[in-house]
């Protein structure tokens, strides 16, 4: 595999399972050292061991991305151990599936607090560090001479249109498209690229839960909600975590140096805008 990320240090949040784990392993295969930033203590250690078995360095850090103090502690730990941060992938996220009229204030706060607030404040803390890494004479010129960092956020096809039974989730993912554009503009003088991906239907532990909840709401058997979505995918299959990881690795690499503020659907054609 091409070593497009050789010498780079990447933080991947939510890297304990599902898409985040696939992203962390893909970046490691492309040469990056990794910080596995994950709330689950068991899964983050498993991911780190798999990265180390690929010959890359991996540190684990317990983090709830909804907590600013924990985010800063993550950044400080990564810089102390690995020296610098070149890539941030904000994968950590949660979904709640319930009828519109049943959503509680707690559901709303939890989903927005993890998905949207977590993404924003991880970008802020890591962005500050990426800017600190730019030589002062380059900052003084007011225009960075090369890319000084890559950030990739996780939106969703649910960020492209509303969802009657996942209102908070869809709202958080739509807002991630907006904050990706805002951060891309804010970081453009430093030549830090900020982009997002919208995965489609990717069977993972998250989708297992969504399928159970949506199928129940539809009055369908387990698997019914997943099938209903996959039937609408033009490429006629669900995606894999590796499909998404390949797109993320591209956006983290110098092949994407002239791309910023964009949100890429990785969904087999489910959405086309
Ligand atoms: N699976 C899909 O079909 C799909 C589709 C579109 C978007 N997405 C998005 O992709 C991302 C990954 O999805 P997935 O399906 O792999 O989910 P998943 O639930 O399988 O994995 C999410 C990971 O994030 C971690 N996490 C959750 N809250 C956290 C927090 N507060 N701090 C740190 N870590 C936390 C979990 O412990 C878990 O390891 C999410 O942002 C999700 O919204 C997934």
């Amino acid at each position: 595999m091409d070593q497009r990320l050789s010498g780079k240090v990447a933080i991947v949040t939510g890297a304990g399972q599902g898409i985040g784990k696939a992203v962390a392993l893909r970046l490691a295969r492309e040469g990056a050292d990794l910080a596995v930033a994950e709330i689950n203590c068991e899964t983050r250690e498993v991911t780190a061991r798999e990265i180390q078995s690929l010959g890359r360095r991996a540190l684990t850090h317990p983090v709830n991305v909804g907590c600013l103090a924990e985010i800063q502690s993550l950044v400080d730990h990564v810089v102390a151990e690995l020296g610098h941060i070149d890539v941030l992938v904000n994968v950590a996220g949660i979904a709640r599936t319930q009828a519109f009229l049943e959503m509680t204030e707690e559901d709303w706060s939890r989903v927005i607090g993890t998905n949207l607030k977590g993404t924003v404040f991880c970008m802020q803390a890591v962005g500050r560090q990426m800017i600190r890494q730019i030589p002062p004479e380059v900052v003084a010129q007011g225009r960075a001479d090369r890319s000084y960092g890559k950030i990739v956020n996780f939106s969703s096809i649910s960020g492209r249109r509303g969802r009657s039974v996942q209102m908070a989730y869809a709202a958080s993912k739509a807002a991630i498209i907006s904050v990706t554009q805002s951060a891309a503009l804010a970081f453009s003088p430093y030549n830090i690229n900020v982009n997002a991906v919208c995965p489609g239907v990717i069977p993972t532990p998250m989708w297992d839960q969504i399928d159970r909840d949506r199928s129940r709401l539809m009055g369908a058997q387990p698997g019914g909600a997943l099938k209903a979505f996959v039937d609408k995918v033009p490429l006629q299959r669900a995606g894999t975590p590796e499909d998404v990881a390949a797109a993320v690795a591209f956006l983290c690499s110098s092949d994407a140096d002239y791309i910023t503020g964009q949100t890429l659907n990785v969904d087999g054609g489910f959405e086309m805008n």
Side-chain angles (χ1 to χ4, degrees):
M1 183 164 279
D2 285 351
Q3 296 293 291
R4 292 185 296 185
L5 299 174
S6 180
K8 305 292 185 192
V9 172
I11 297 178
V12 180
T13 71
Q17 66 182 29
I19 302 171
K21 180 174 182 176
V23 168
L25 290 170
R26 173 70 190 238
L27 301 188
R29 285 196 186 93
E30 294 215 23
D33 291 327
L34 263 297
V36 179
E38 165 61 57
I39 203 166
N40 183 309
C41 58
E42 286 159 21
T43 60
R44 67 175 177 253
E45 297 304 329
V46 174
T47 299
R49 281 198 294 277
E50 288 187 35
I51 292 166
Q52 286 156 355
S53 73
L54 294 170
R56 305 306 330 161
R57 291 189 293 173
L59 68 78
T60 58
H61 192 91
V63 66
N64 172 359
V65 295
C67 172
L68 272 65
E70 293 186 24
I71 293 170
Q72 192 55 51
S73 149
L74 163 70
V75 170
D76 294 345
H77 184 193
V78 177
V79 174
E81 293 292 322
L82 300 176
H84 48 102
I85 303 170
D86 308 293
V87 170
L88 166 67
V89 189
N90 281 309
V91 189
I94 57 170
R96 291 280 183 276
T97 305
Q98 72 274 91
F100 185 101
L101 297 178
E102 304 299 323
M103 191 193 67
T104 65
E105 185 181 8
E106 196 273 335
D107 292 324
W108 173 266
S109 300
R110 185 69 68 84
V111 171
I112 299 292
T114 302
N115 299 1
L116 180 56
K117 181 181 168 192
T119 296
V120 167
F121 287 98
C122 284
M123 284 200 289
Q124 193 184 67
V126 172
R128 283 190 186 118
Q129 173 59 29
M130 287 174 168
I131 291 166
R132 267 196 294 274
Q133 293 168 187
I134 304 174
E137 61 277 14
V138 174
V139 175
Q141 288 164 15
R143 182 82 207 109
D145 52 340
R146 63 168 177 83
S147 176
Y148 282 92
K150 299 278 194 279
I151 298 175
V152 180
N153 296 325
F154 267 64
S155 179
S156 165
I157 51 171
S158 298
R160 295 292 195 188
R161 67 179 71 202
R163 294 273 186 260
S164 66
V165 296
Q166 284 182 326
M167 184 176 60
Y169 181 74
S172 73
K173 295 299 184 179
I176 285 172
I177 296 173
S178 170
V179 299
T180 296
Q181 294 170 356
S182 299
L185 290 169
F187 291 152
S188 59
Y190 306 103
N191 217 327
I192 295 168
N193 307 68
V194 187
N195 292 293
V197 290
C198 285
V201 184
I202 317 291
T204 62
M206 176 184 280
W207 237 104
D208 290 345
Q209 184 64 50
I210 293 172
D211 178 67
R212 276 193 295 276
D213 294 342
R214 284 190 87 104
S215 297
R216 193 181 61 251
L217 288 167
M218 290 161 59
Q221 294 295 315
L226 178 63
K227 181 173 184 314
F229 266 91
V230 174
D231 283 349
K232 293 185 192 142
V233 176
L235 288 182
Q236 298 181 19
R237 67 170 175 89
T240 64
E242 290 73 24
D243 287 325
V244 183
V248 171
F250 161 67
L251 290 172
C252 293
S253 76
S254 60
D255 289 337
D257 275 355
Y258 199 54
I259 300 174
T260 200
Q262 306 304 307
T263 299
L264 175 64
N265 298 331
V266 187
D267 65 352
F270 190 95
E271 295 287 348
M272 294 200 176
N273 57 22

